[in-house]
Amino acid sequence: MAFLIGIDEAGYGPNFGPLVISATAWEVQGDPCRANLYKRLGKAVSDGPDGARLAIADSKLLYNPQRGLGLLERGVLSILALLGCRLGDWCDVWDRLRADGDGHRHHLPWYAGYRRPLPLVPAEEPLPDATEPLRRVCQARRVRLAVVESRAVFPQRFNALVAQHGTKGEALSRLTLDLLADVMAGLPADQQVLVVCDKHGGRNRYGALLQQRFPDTLVEVRKESRPVSIYRWGPQDCRVEVRFCAGGESFMPAALASMTSKYLRELAMQALNDFWCRELPTLRRTAGYPTDSYRFKRDIADCQRNLKIDDGILWRVR
C-alpha cells in the first residue's frame, strides 16, 4: 500500500479572517506516482459540478458568491461522513478537523459561543446521498480516505509569524510543512508517500525548508522549476516524494484540501460577519479581501473602539 497526500490553503490574501491550510491523505494500492484517484473513483466522483456524482475540485470551481456555498458544503460534509462524522453545527467541523488545537477561537468575540447549525445551505430539494456511492467505489477499488485535517491561523498569530519570518510566503511554507509532518507522523513509516502541494506564490525552491523540517534524512532535489518542484527522500520501498505544483488542485487529494480550507474559512467569515452585523444591522458583509476589507474596517471603526477590540486580533497586516 501507499499514501497520497494533498495540501492546499485558503485565505492567503485577505485582511480579515484566518488563513486555513488543509491536508487529506488517501491509502491506495500500487505506485503512488501512477495513482489517479479521479480515474479510480470516477463512478462516484467528478472533477467539477456534476448533479449525480460528488464534485471534488479546486474550490474556485465550486464556490463563488454568485454560485453560493452549496456545492462546496455538500462535498466537504459528504467526505467527512465517509470518515463516520455526522456534524451538527459549526463547532463540530472545527473540532473534527483539529483546525484550532489550542482553542484560540474561543477567545475571539465573533467565535466565542458561536454554534450555527449545519448545513448552512439547506438543499431546496433532497440531494442524493453522495457518501454511500463513494464508500462502495472506494471499497471496490481498494482506496481508503485516511486523514482530513486543517490548521487555522488567526490574525494575531499570522501577524506574528510574518514578522518572525519576514514574508507571508515564508510563513505559509513553514505552516504547510508543519501540517505535513503532523499528518505523516500518524501514517505507517514503511509505505511510499506522494505529496502534492499547490505552489506558494512564485517560490520555486523548497529544499532547504524540507531539510530543516525533516532533518533525519537527506532530502534530494529532483527538479526546481516554475511549473513544478520535486523532492525525494528515503529508500525506494518507502520513498517520500513531495511536489510543489502550479495548479496542484488537479491532484484529487489537493483538490479536497482546497475545498476543506475554503469551507472552513467561509464558516469563519460567516461568524465574523454575523457578529459585526448584530452590532451594526445596516453593515454590508465582507469576504475579507482588499479592497473591500478597508471599506469594512472603516464602517466598523467607531463600533470597534466602543467595544475596545484591538486591531491585533482582528486585522492581518499583510
Side-chain angles (χ1 to χ4, degrees), residues 24 26 44-46 50 53-57 62 69-83 87 119 127-128 130-131 134 145 148 255-257 259-260 263:
T24 76
W26 299 72
V45 169
S46 65
D50 184 321
R53 296 177 295 168
L54 184 66
I56 300 180
L62 303 181
L69 197 62
L71 273 174
L72 187 68
E73 183 170 61
R74 183 193 183 211
V76 173
L77 296 186
S78 295
I79 286 293
L80 292 178
L82 189 65
L83 292 172
L87 307 172
L127 292 171
T131 304
L134 179 56
L145 175 61
V148 182
L256 179 58
M259 292 171 61
T260 305
Y263 183 60

PDB file of all heavy atoms in Angstrom, residues 24 26 44-46 50 53-57 62 69-83 87 119 127-128 130-131 134 145 148 255-257 259-260 263:
ATOM      1  N   THR A  24      -5.273  16.209   3.051  1.00  0.00           N
ATOM      2  CA  THR A  24      -6.024  14.959   3.001  1.00  0.00           C
ATOM      3  C   THR A  24      -5.055  13.853   2.597  1.00  0.00           C
ATOM      4  O   THR A  24      -4.160  14.065   1.775  1.00  0.00           O
ATOM      5  CB  THR A  24      -7.202  15.023   2.008  1.00  0.00           C
ATOM      6  OG1 THR A  24      -6.735  14.917   0.656  1.00  0.00           O
ATOM      7  CG2 THR A  24      -7.978  16.323   2.170  1.00  0.00           C
ATOM      8  N   TRP A  26      -4.876   9.678   1.446  1.00  0.00           N
ATOM      9  CA  TRP A  26      -5.619   8.535   0.923  1.00  0.00           C
ATOM     10  C   TRP A  26      -4.672   7.345   0.791  1.00  0.00           C
ATOM     11  O   TRP A  26      -3.577   7.474   0.243  1.00  0.00           O
ATOM     12  CB  TRP A  26      -6.193   8.860  -0.449  1.00  0.00           C
ATOM     13  CG  TRP A  26      -7.153  10.003  -0.472  1.00  0.00           C
ATOM     14  CD1 TRP A  26      -6.859  11.327  -0.324  1.00  0.00           C
ATOM     15  CD2 TRP A  26      -8.571   9.929  -0.647  1.00  0.00           C
ATOM     16  NE1 TRP A  26      -8.000  12.087  -0.408  1.00  0.00           N
ATOM     17  CE2 TRP A  26      -9.072  11.246  -0.611  1.00  0.00           C
ATOM     18  CE3 TRP A  26      -9.469   8.871  -0.851  1.00  0.00           C
ATOM     19  CZ2 TRP A  26     -10.425  11.538  -0.755  1.00  0.00           C
ATOM     20  CZ3 TRP A  26     -10.819   9.153  -1.003  1.00  0.00           C
ATOM     21  CH2 TRP A  26     -11.286  10.473  -0.954  1.00  0.00           C
ATOM     22  N   ALA A  44     -18.064   7.593  -8.803  1.00  0.00           N
ATOM     23  CA  ALA A  44     -18.715   8.324  -7.710  1.00  0.00           C
ATOM     24  C   ALA A  44     -18.254   9.765  -7.591  1.00  0.00           C
ATOM     25  O   ALA A  44     -18.906  10.555  -6.909  1.00  0.00           O
ATOM     26  CB  ALA A  44     -18.462   7.608  -6.377  1.00  0.00           C
ATOM     27  N   VAL A  45     -17.138  10.121  -8.261  1.00  0.00           N
ATOM     28  CA  VAL A  45     -16.513  11.428  -8.073  1.00  0.00           C
ATOM     29  C   VAL A  45     -16.315  12.102  -9.421  1.00  0.00           C
ATOM     30  O   VAL A  45     -15.959  11.447 -10.403  1.00  0.00           O
ATOM     31  CB  VAL A  45     -15.150  11.276  -7.357  1.00  0.00           C
ATOM     32  CG1 VAL A  45     -14.354  12.569  -7.394  1.00  0.00           C
ATOM     33  CG2 VAL A  45     -15.358  10.828  -5.922  1.00  0.00           C
ATOM     34  N   SER A  46     -16.531  13.418  -9.472  1.00  0.00           N
ATOM     35  CA  SER A  46     -16.232  14.185 -10.680  1.00  0.00           C
ATOM     36  C   SER A  46     -15.287  15.323 -10.326  1.00  0.00           C
ATOM     37  O   SER A  46     -15.186  15.726  -9.170  1.00  0.00           O
ATOM     38  CB  SER A  46     -17.518  14.757 -11.293  1.00  0.00           C
ATOM     39  OG  SER A  46     -18.104  15.711 -10.421  1.00  0.00           O
ATOM     40  N   ASP A  50     -21.344  18.297 -10.896  1.00  0.00           N
ATOM     41  CA  ASP A  50     -21.995  17.143 -11.513  1.00  0.00           C
ATOM     42  C   ASP A  50     -23.153  16.757 -10.602  1.00  0.00           C
ATOM     43  O   ASP A  50     -22.947  16.394  -9.450  1.00  0.00           O
ATOM     44  CB  ASP A  50     -20.992  15.995 -11.649  1.00  0.00           C
ATOM     45  CG  ASP A  50     -21.562  14.783 -12.370  1.00  0.00           C
ATOM     46  OD1 ASP A  50     -22.730  14.450 -12.137  1.00  0.00           O
ATOM     47  OD2 ASP A  50     -20.832  14.175 -13.159  1.00  0.00           O
ATOM     48  N   ARG A  53     -22.749  12.769  -9.437  1.00  0.00           N
ATOM     49  CA  ARG A  53     -21.569  12.373  -8.676  1.00  0.00           C
ATOM     50  C   ARG A  53     -21.138  13.484  -7.731  1.00  0.00           C
ATOM     51  O   ARG A  53     -21.554  14.630  -7.861  1.00  0.00           O
ATOM     52  CB  ARG A  53     -20.435  12.016  -9.640  1.00  0.00           C
ATOM     53  CG  ARG A  53     -20.735  10.824 -10.518  1.00  0.00           C
ATOM     54  CD  ARG A  53     -19.604  10.564 -11.485  1.00  0.00           C
ATOM     55  NE  ARG A  53     -19.451  11.661 -12.444  1.00  0.00           N
ATOM     56  CZ  ARG A  53     -18.409  11.818 -13.249  1.00  0.00           C
ATOM     57  NH1 ARG A  53     -17.405  10.945 -13.215  1.00  0.00           N
ATOM     58  NH2 ARG A  53     -18.355  12.833 -14.094  1.00  0.00           N
ATOM     59  N   LEU A  54     -20.282  13.116  -6.788  1.00  0.00           N
ATOM     60  CA  LEU A  54     -19.771  14.082  -5.828  1.00  0.00           C
ATOM     61  C   LEU A  54     -18.658  14.889  -6.480  1.00  0.00           C
ATOM     62  O   LEU A  54     -17.691  14.331  -7.008  1.00  0.00           O
ATOM     63  CB  LEU A  54     -19.221  13.354  -4.599  1.00  0.00           C
ATOM     64  CG  LEU A  54     -18.737  14.246  -3.455  1.00  0.00           C
ATOM     65  CD1 LEU A  54     -19.902  15.001  -2.847  1.00  0.00           C
ATOM     66  CD2 LEU A  54     -18.024  13.414  -2.400  1.00  0.00           C
ATOM     67  N   ALA A  55     -18.780  16.203  -6.461  1.00  0.00           N
ATOM     68  CA  ALA A  55     -17.767  17.075  -7.048  1.00  0.00           C
ATOM     69  C   ALA A  55     -16.634  17.295  -6.047  1.00  0.00           C
ATOM     70  O   ALA A  55     -16.851  17.797  -4.948  1.00  0.00           O
ATOM     71  CB  ALA A  55     -18.379  18.412  -7.446  1.00  0.00           C
ATOM     72  N   ILE A  56     -15.420  16.895  -6.448  1.00  0.00           N
ATOM     73  CA  ILE A  56     -14.201  17.185  -5.679  1.00  0.00           C
ATOM     74  C   ILE A  56     -13.261  17.886  -6.641  1.00  0.00           C
ATOM     75  O   ILE A  56     -12.727  17.281  -7.566  1.00  0.00           O
ATOM     76  CB  ILE A  56     -13.552  15.912  -5.108  1.00  0.00           C
ATOM     77  CG1 ILE A  56     -14.529  15.193  -4.170  1.00  0.00           C
ATOM     78  CG2 ILE A  56     -12.264  16.256  -4.375  1.00  0.00           C
ATOM     79  CD1 ILE A  56     -13.963  13.924  -3.560  1.00  0.00           C
ATOM     80  N   ALA A  57     -13.096  19.182  -6.437  1.00  0.00           N
ATOM     81  CA  ALA A  57     -12.353  20.004  -7.391  1.00  0.00           C
ATOM     82  C   ALA A  57     -11.800  21.215  -6.666  1.00  0.00           C
ATOM     83  O   ALA A  57     -12.105  21.472  -5.496  1.00  0.00           O
ATOM     84  CB  ALA A  57     -13.276  20.444  -8.534  1.00  0.00           C
ATOM     85  N   LEU A  62     -16.045  25.449  -7.508  1.00  0.00           N
ATOM     86  CA  LEU A  62     -17.285  25.062  -6.836  1.00  0.00           C
ATOM     87  C   LEU A  62     -17.930  26.190  -6.060  1.00  0.00           C
ATOM     88  O   LEU A  62     -19.120  26.106  -5.727  1.00  0.00           O
ATOM     89  CB  LEU A  62     -17.007  23.892  -5.881  1.00  0.00           C
ATOM     90  CG  LEU A  62     -16.396  22.638  -6.500  1.00  0.00           C
ATOM     91  CD1 LEU A  62     -16.214  21.565  -5.442  1.00  0.00           C
ATOM     92  CD2 LEU A  62     -17.247  22.123  -7.648  1.00  0.00           C
ATOM     93  N   LEU A  69     -22.596  28.587  -1.533  1.00  0.00           N
ATOM     94  CA  LEU A  69     -21.763  27.644  -0.785  1.00  0.00           C
ATOM     95  C   LEU A  69     -22.217  26.195  -0.915  1.00  0.00           C
ATOM     96  O   LEU A  69     -21.528  25.284  -0.457  1.00  0.00           O
ATOM     97  CB  LEU A  69     -21.794  28.060   0.699  1.00  0.00           C
ATOM     98  CG  LEU A  69     -20.727  27.527   1.641  1.00  0.00           C
ATOM     99  CD1 LEU A  69     -19.344  27.993   1.219  1.00  0.00           C
ATOM    100  CD2 LEU A  69     -21.019  27.969   3.071  1.00  0.00           C
ATOM    101  N   GLY A  70     -23.360  25.958  -1.564  1.00  0.00           N
ATOM    102  CA  GLY A  70     -23.970  24.645  -1.537  1.00  0.00           C
ATOM    103  C   GLY A  70     -23.099  23.508  -2.031  1.00  0.00           C
ATOM    104  O   GLY A  70     -22.961  22.471  -1.371  1.00  0.00           O
ATOM    105  N   LEU A  71     -22.490  23.651  -3.218  1.00  0.00           N
ATOM    106  CA  LEU A  71     -21.657  22.579  -3.770  1.00  0.00           C
ATOM    107  C   LEU A  71     -20.447  22.296  -2.895  1.00  0.00           C
ATOM    108  O   LEU A  71     -20.091  21.135  -2.653  1.00  0.00           O
ATOM    109  CB  LEU A  71     -21.184  22.952  -5.177  1.00  0.00           C
ATOM    110  CG  LEU A  71     -22.089  22.600  -6.358  1.00  0.00           C
ATOM    111  CD1 LEU A  71     -21.510  23.179  -7.643  1.00  0.00           C
ATOM    112  CD2 LEU A  71     -22.254  21.091  -6.481  1.00  0.00           C
ATOM    113  N   LEU A  72     -19.808  23.359  -2.445  1.00  0.00           N
ATOM    114  CA  LEU A  72     -18.629  23.207  -1.597  1.00  0.00           C
ATOM    115  C   LEU A  72     -19.006  22.512  -0.292  1.00  0.00           C
ATOM    116  O   LEU A  72     -18.332  21.569   0.145  1.00  0.00           O
ATOM    117  CB  LEU A  72     -18.025  24.584  -1.322  1.00  0.00           C
ATOM    118  CG  LEU A  72     -16.687  24.622  -0.596  1.00  0.00           C
ATOM    119  CD1 LEU A  72     -15.585  24.054  -1.473  1.00  0.00           C
ATOM    120  CD2 LEU A  72     -16.352  26.062  -0.199  1.00  0.00           C
ATOM    121  N   GLU A  73     -20.076  22.945   0.315  1.00  0.00           N
ATOM    122  CA  GLU A  73     -20.507  22.369   1.588  1.00  0.00           C
ATOM    123  C   GLU A  73     -20.893  20.904   1.428  1.00  0.00           C
ATOM    124  O   GLU A  73     -20.519  20.058   2.248  1.00  0.00           O
ATOM    125  CB  GLU A  73     -21.666  23.171   2.142  1.00  0.00           C
ATOM    126  CG  GLU A  73     -22.144  22.697   3.504  1.00  0.00           C
ATOM    127  CD  GLU A  73     -23.132  23.654   4.127  1.00  0.00           C
ATOM    128  OE1 GLU A  73     -24.203  23.869   3.534  1.00  0.00           O
ATOM    129  OE2 GLU A  73     -22.832  24.185   5.205  1.00  0.00           O
ATOM    130  N   ARG A  74     -21.643  20.605   0.359  1.00  0.00           N
ATOM    131  CA  ARG A  74     -22.037  19.214   0.142  1.00  0.00           C
ATOM    132  C   ARG A  74     -20.812  18.302   0.019  1.00  0.00           C
ATOM    133  O   ARG A  74     -20.780  17.207   0.583  1.00  0.00           O
ATOM    134  CB  ARG A  74     -22.902  19.104  -1.112  1.00  0.00           C
ATOM    135  CG  ARG A  74     -23.409  17.689  -1.370  1.00  0.00           C
ATOM    136  CD  ARG A  74     -23.979  17.530  -2.760  1.00  0.00           C
ATOM    137  NE  ARG A  74     -24.511  16.188  -2.945  1.00  0.00           N
ATOM    138  CZ  ARG A  74     -24.521  15.544  -4.110  1.00  0.00           C
ATOM    139  NH1 ARG A  74     -24.037  16.133  -5.176  1.00  0.00           N
ATOM    140  NH2 ARG A  74     -25.030  14.335  -4.195  1.00  0.00           N
ATOM    141  N   GLY A  75     -19.797  18.782  -0.723  1.00  0.00           N
ATOM    142  CA  GLY A  75     -18.604  17.970  -0.903  1.00  0.00           C
ATOM    143  C   GLY A  75     -17.874  17.715   0.395  1.00  0.00           C
ATOM    144  O   GLY A  75     -17.524  16.567   0.718  1.00  0.00           O
ATOM    145  N   VAL A  76     -17.644  18.760   1.170  1.00  0.00           N
ATOM    146  CA  VAL A  76     -16.872  18.600   2.404  1.00  0.00           C
ATOM    147  C   VAL A  76     -17.638  17.760   3.424  1.00  0.00           C
ATOM    148  O   VAL A  76     -17.077  16.845   4.039  1.00  0.00           O
ATOM    149  CB  VAL A  76     -16.499  19.979   2.990  1.00  0.00           C
ATOM    150  CG1 VAL A  76     -15.836  19.821   4.356  1.00  0.00           C
ATOM    151  CG2 VAL A  76     -15.564  20.721   2.046  1.00  0.00           C
ATOM    152  N   LEU A  77     -18.922  18.035   3.604  1.00  0.00           N
ATOM    153  CA  LEU A  77     -19.684  17.270   4.589  1.00  0.00           C
ATOM    154  C   LEU A  77     -19.845  15.808   4.168  1.00  0.00           C
ATOM    155  O   LEU A  77     -19.844  14.906   5.020  1.00  0.00           O
ATOM    156  CB  LEU A  77     -21.051  17.922   4.817  1.00  0.00           C
ATOM    157  CG  LEU A  77     -21.026  19.329   5.426  1.00  0.00           C
ATOM    158  CD1 LEU A  77     -22.451  19.795   5.728  1.00  0.00           C
ATOM    159  CD2 LEU A  77     -20.158  19.408   6.678  1.00  0.00           C
ATOM    160  N   SER A  78     -19.950  15.550   2.868  1.00  0.00           N
ATOM    161  CA  SER A  78     -20.043  14.159   2.391  1.00  0.00           C
ATOM    162  C   SER A  78     -18.744  13.413   2.656  1.00  0.00           C
ATOM    163  O   SER A  78     -18.757  12.239   3.050  1.00  0.00           O
ATOM    164  CB  SER A  78     -20.370  14.130   0.900  1.00  0.00           C
ATOM    165  OG  SER A  78     -21.651  14.663   0.639  1.00  0.00           O
ATOM    166  N   ILE A  79     -17.618  14.079   2.433  1.00  0.00           N
ATOM    167  CA  ILE A  79     -16.328  13.440   2.672  1.00  0.00           C
ATOM    168  C   ILE A  79     -16.129  13.168   4.162  1.00  0.00           C
ATOM    169  O   ILE A  79     -15.653  12.094   4.559  1.00  0.00           O
ATOM    170  CB  ILE A  79     -15.193  14.322   2.119  1.00  0.00           C
ATOM    171  CG1 ILE A  79     -15.167  14.236   0.593  1.00  0.00           C
ATOM    172  CG2 ILE A  79     -13.846  13.915   2.697  1.00  0.00           C
ATOM    173  CD1 ILE A  79     -14.783  12.874   0.029  1.00  0.00           C
ATOM    174  N   LEU A  80     -16.497  14.117   5.018  1.00  0.00           N
ATOM    175  CA  LEU A  80     -16.366  13.882   6.449  1.00  0.00           C
ATOM    176  C   LEU A  80     -17.298  12.764   6.904  1.00  0.00           C
ATOM    177  O   LEU A  80     -16.961  11.996   7.818  1.00  0.00           O
ATOM    178  CB  LEU A  80     -16.627  15.174   7.220  1.00  0.00           C
ATOM    179  CG  LEU A  80     -15.561  16.250   7.027  1.00  0.00           C
ATOM    180  CD1 LEU A  80     -15.926  17.519   7.782  1.00  0.00           C
ATOM    181  CD2 LEU A  80     -14.180  15.761   7.465  1.00  0.00           C
ATOM    182  N   ALA A  81     -18.451  12.621   6.257  1.00  0.00           N
ATOM    183  CA  ALA A  81     -19.339  11.498   6.566  1.00  0.00           C
ATOM    184  C   ALA A  81     -18.688  10.171   6.194  1.00  0.00           C
ATOM    185  O   ALA A  81     -18.946   9.146   6.838  1.00  0.00           O
ATOM    186  CB  ALA A  81     -20.674  11.663   5.845  1.00  0.00           C
ATOM    187  N   LEU A  82     -17.836  10.183   5.158  1.00  0.00           N
ATOM    188  CA  LEU A  82     -17.109   8.969   4.772  1.00  0.00           C
ATOM    189  C   LEU A  82     -16.221   8.493   5.919  1.00  0.00           C
ATOM    190  O   LEU A  82     -15.952   7.303   6.052  1.00  0.00           O
ATOM    191  CB  LEU A  82     -16.267   9.250   3.521  1.00  0.00           C
ATOM    192  CG  LEU A  82     -15.605   8.063   2.835  1.00  0.00           C
ATOM    193  CD1 LEU A  82     -16.639   7.111   2.260  1.00  0.00           C
ATOM    194  CD2 LEU A  82     -14.661   8.543   1.735  1.00  0.00           C
ATOM    195  N   LEU A  83     -15.764   9.432   6.748  1.00  0.00           N
ATOM    196  CA  LEU A  83     -14.954   9.094   7.918  1.00  0.00           C
ATOM    197  C   LEU A  83     -15.811   8.800   9.145  1.00  0.00           C
ATOM    198  O   LEU A  83     -15.285   8.658  10.257  1.00  0.00           O
ATOM    199  CB  LEU A  83     -13.996  10.247   8.228  1.00  0.00           C
ATOM    200  CG  LEU A  83     -12.885  10.486   7.201  1.00  0.00           C
ATOM    201  CD1 LEU A  83     -12.138  11.768   7.524  1.00  0.00           C
ATOM    202  CD2 LEU A  83     -11.929   9.307   7.152  1.00  0.00           C
ATOM    203  N   LEU A  87     -21.994  15.800  11.460  1.00  0.00           N
ATOM    204  CA  LEU A  87     -21.718  17.090  12.071  1.00  0.00           C
ATOM    205  C   LEU A  87     -23.002  17.887  12.234  1.00  0.00           C
ATOM    206  O   LEU A  87     -23.721  18.121  11.265  1.00  0.00           O
ATOM    207  CB  LEU A  87     -20.711  17.861  11.220  1.00  0.00           C
ATOM    208  CG  LEU A  87     -19.421  17.076  10.915  1.00  0.00           C
ATOM    209  CD1 LEU A  87     -18.572  17.822   9.918  1.00  0.00           C
ATOM    210  CD2 LEU A  87     -18.638  16.810  12.180  1.00  0.00           C
ATOM    211  N   PRO A 119     -26.321  21.848   7.690  1.00  0.00           N
ATOM    212  CA  PRO A 119     -25.598  22.680   6.722  1.00  0.00           C
ATOM    213  C   PRO A 119     -26.064  24.133   6.747  1.00  0.00           C
ATOM    214  O   PRO A 119     -27.198  24.424   7.116  1.00  0.00           O
ATOM    215  CB  PRO A 119     -25.912  22.028   5.382  1.00  0.00           C
ATOM    216  CG  PRO A 119     -27.249  21.390   5.593  1.00  0.00           C
ATOM    217  CD  PRO A 119     -27.260  20.912   7.016  1.00  0.00           C
ATOM    218  N   LEU A 127     -30.915  16.058  -1.901  1.00  0.00           N
ATOM    219  CA  LEU A 127     -29.863  15.622  -2.814  1.00  0.00           C
ATOM    220  C   LEU A 127     -29.586  14.140  -2.603  1.00  0.00           C
ATOM    221  O   LEU A 127     -29.724  13.623  -1.491  1.00  0.00           O
ATOM    222  CB  LEU A 127     -28.574  16.422  -2.548  1.00  0.00           C
ATOM    223  CG  LEU A 127     -28.640  17.906  -2.906  1.00  0.00           C
ATOM    224  CD1 LEU A 127     -27.395  18.610  -2.396  1.00  0.00           C
ATOM    225  CD2 LEU A 127     -28.755  18.092  -4.400  1.00  0.00           C
ATOM    226  N   PRO A 128     -29.202  13.436  -3.669  1.00  0.00           N
ATOM    227  CA  PRO A 128     -28.843  12.032  -3.477  1.00  0.00           C
ATOM    228  C   PRO A 128     -27.660  11.912  -2.537  1.00  0.00           C
ATOM    229  O   PRO A 128     -26.759  12.756  -2.527  1.00  0.00           O
ATOM    230  CB  PRO A 128     -28.475  11.565  -4.900  1.00  0.00           C
ATOM    231  CG  PRO A 128     -28.176  12.819  -5.657  1.00  0.00           C
ATOM    232  CD  PRO A 128     -29.025  13.889  -5.054  1.00  0.00           C
ATOM    233  N   ALA A 130     -24.334  11.247  -1.429  1.00  0.00           N
ATOM    234  CA  ALA A 130     -23.094  11.060  -2.184  1.00  0.00           C
ATOM    235  C   ALA A 130     -22.106  10.187  -1.441  1.00  0.00           C
ATOM    236  O   ALA A 130     -21.154   9.678  -2.032  1.00  0.00           O
ATOM    237  CB  ALA A 130     -22.467  12.429  -2.472  1.00  0.00           C
ATOM    238  N   THR A 131     -22.290  10.015  -0.138  1.00  0.00           N
ATOM    239  CA  THR A 131     -21.297   9.299   0.663  1.00  0.00           C
ATOM    240  C   THR A 131     -21.302   7.807   0.372  1.00  0.00           C
ATOM    241  O   THR A 131     -20.243   7.196   0.176  1.00  0.00           O
ATOM    242  CB  THR A 131     -21.533   9.552   2.154  1.00  0.00           C
ATOM    243  OG1 THR A 131     -21.519  10.954   2.408  1.00  0.00           O
ATOM    244  CG2 THR A 131     -20.458   8.877   2.985  1.00  0.00           C
ATOM    245  N   LEU A 134     -19.696   6.688  -2.916  1.00  0.00           N
ATOM    246  CA  LEU A 134     -18.249   6.840  -2.820  1.00  0.00           C
ATOM    247  C   LEU A 134     -17.653   5.755  -1.926  1.00  0.00           C
ATOM    248  O   LEU A 134     -16.601   5.191  -2.242  1.00  0.00           O
ATOM    249  CB  LEU A 134     -17.898   8.227  -2.285  1.00  0.00           C
ATOM    250  CG  LEU A 134     -16.401   8.516  -2.097  1.00  0.00           C
ATOM    251  CD1 LEU A 134     -15.631   8.303  -3.387  1.00  0.00           C
ATOM    252  CD2 LEU A 134     -16.199   9.932  -1.575  1.00  0.00           C
ATOM    253  N   LEU A 145      -9.838   6.667   2.473  1.00  0.00           N
ATOM    254  CA  LEU A 145      -9.555   8.005   2.993  1.00  0.00           C
ATOM    255  C   LEU A 145      -9.068   7.858   4.419  1.00  0.00           C
ATOM    256  O   LEU A 145      -9.786   7.358   5.286  1.00  0.00           O
ATOM    257  CB  LEU A 145     -10.823   8.874   2.936  1.00  0.00           C
ATOM    258  CG  LEU A 145     -10.708  10.268   3.553  1.00  0.00           C
ATOM    259  CD1 LEU A 145      -9.644  11.105   2.856  1.00  0.00           C
ATOM    260  CD2 LEU A 145     -12.062  10.982   3.501  1.00  0.00           C
ATOM    261  N   VAL A 148      -8.292  13.755   7.058  1.00  0.00           N
ATOM    262  CA  VAL A 148      -8.627  15.107   6.625  1.00  0.00           C
ATOM    263  C   VAL A 148      -8.376  16.008   7.830  1.00  0.00           C
ATOM    264  O   VAL A 148      -9.039  15.856   8.862  1.00  0.00           O
ATOM    265  CB  VAL A 148     -10.093  15.261   6.164  1.00  0.00           C
ATOM    266  CG1 VAL A 148     -10.344  16.688   5.684  1.00  0.00           C
ATOM    267  CG2 VAL A 148     -10.433  14.269   5.061  1.00  0.00           C
ATOM    268  N   ALA A 255      -7.207  18.837  -4.289  1.00  0.00           N
ATOM    269  CA  ALA A 255      -8.485  19.499  -4.556  1.00  0.00           C
ATOM    270  C   ALA A 255      -9.389  19.430  -3.336  1.00  0.00           C
ATOM    271  O   ALA A 255     -10.036  20.426  -2.954  1.00  0.00           O
ATOM    272  CB  ALA A 255      -9.171  18.860  -5.764  1.00  0.00           C
ATOM    273  N   LEU A 256      -9.432  18.264  -2.694  1.00  0.00           N
ATOM    274  CA  LEU A 256     -10.234  18.140  -1.479  1.00  0.00           C
ATOM    275  C   LEU A 256      -9.674  19.015  -0.362  1.00  0.00           C
ATOM    276  O   LEU A 256     -10.440  19.605   0.416  1.00  0.00           O
ATOM    277  CB  LEU A 256     -10.300  16.681  -1.039  1.00  0.00           C
ATOM    278  CG  LEU A 256     -11.092  16.419   0.242  1.00  0.00           C
ATOM    279  CD1 LEU A 256     -12.537  16.912   0.112  1.00  0.00           C
ATOM    280  CD2 LEU A 256     -11.054  14.936   0.601  1.00  0.00           C
ATOM    281  N   ALA A 257      -8.353  19.137  -0.283  1.00  0.00           N
ATOM    282  CA  ALA A 257      -7.756  20.043   0.703  1.00  0.00           C
ATOM    283  C   ALA A 257      -8.149  21.487   0.427  1.00  0.00           C
ATOM    284  O   ALA A 257      -8.441  22.260   1.348  1.00  0.00           O
ATOM    285  CB  ALA A 257      -6.233  19.887   0.695  1.00  0.00           C
ATOM    286  N   MET A 259     -10.923  22.486  -1.032  1.00  0.00           N
ATOM    287  CA  MET A 259     -12.320  22.612  -0.642  1.00  0.00           C
ATOM    288  C   MET A 259     -12.466  22.731   0.873  1.00  0.00           C
ATOM    289  O   MET A 259     -13.242  23.562   1.380  1.00  0.00           O
ATOM    290  CB  MET A 259     -13.102  21.394  -1.136  1.00  0.00           C
ATOM    291  CG  MET A 259     -13.249  21.292  -2.635  1.00  0.00           C
ATOM    292  SD  MET A 259     -13.970  19.697  -3.144  1.00  0.00           S
ATOM    293  CE  MET A 259     -15.566  19.756  -2.332  1.00  0.00           C
ATOM    294  N   THR A 260     -11.747  21.903   1.591  1.00  0.00           N
ATOM    295  CA  THR A 260     -11.851  21.905   3.048  1.00  0.00           C
ATOM    296  C   THR A 260     -11.384  23.229   3.620  1.00  0.00           C
ATOM    297  O   THR A 260     -12.028  23.803   4.513  1.00  0.00           O
ATOM    298  CB  THR A 260     -11.037  20.737   3.631  1.00  0.00           C
ATOM    299  OG1 THR A 260     -11.455  19.513   3.031  1.00  0.00           O
ATOM    300  CG2 THR A 260     -11.213  20.643   5.131  1.00  0.00           C
ATOM    301  N   TYR A 263     -13.995  25.932   2.779  1.00  0.00           N
ATOM    302  CA  TYR A 263     -15.216  25.788   3.556  1.00  0.00           C
ATOM    303  C   TYR A 263     -15.008  26.264   4.994  1.00  0.00           C
ATOM    304  O   TYR A 263     -15.831  27.011   5.543  1.00  0.00           O
ATOM    305  CB  TYR A 263     -15.682  24.336   3.541  1.00  0.00           C
ATOM    306  CG  TYR A 263     -16.983  24.111   4.279  1.00  0.00           C
ATOM    307  CD1 TYR A 263     -18.155  24.754   3.888  1.00  0.00           C
ATOM    308  CD2 TYR A 263     -17.043  23.253   5.375  1.00  0.00           C
ATOM    309  CE1 TYR A 263     -19.348  24.557   4.561  1.00  0.00           C
ATOM    310  CE2 TYR A 263     -18.230  23.048   6.059  1.00  0.00           C
ATOM    311  CZ  TYR A 263     -19.379  23.709   5.650  1.00  0.00           C
ATOM    312  OH  TYR A 263     -20.558  23.524   6.329  1.00  0.00           O
TER     313      TYR A 263
END
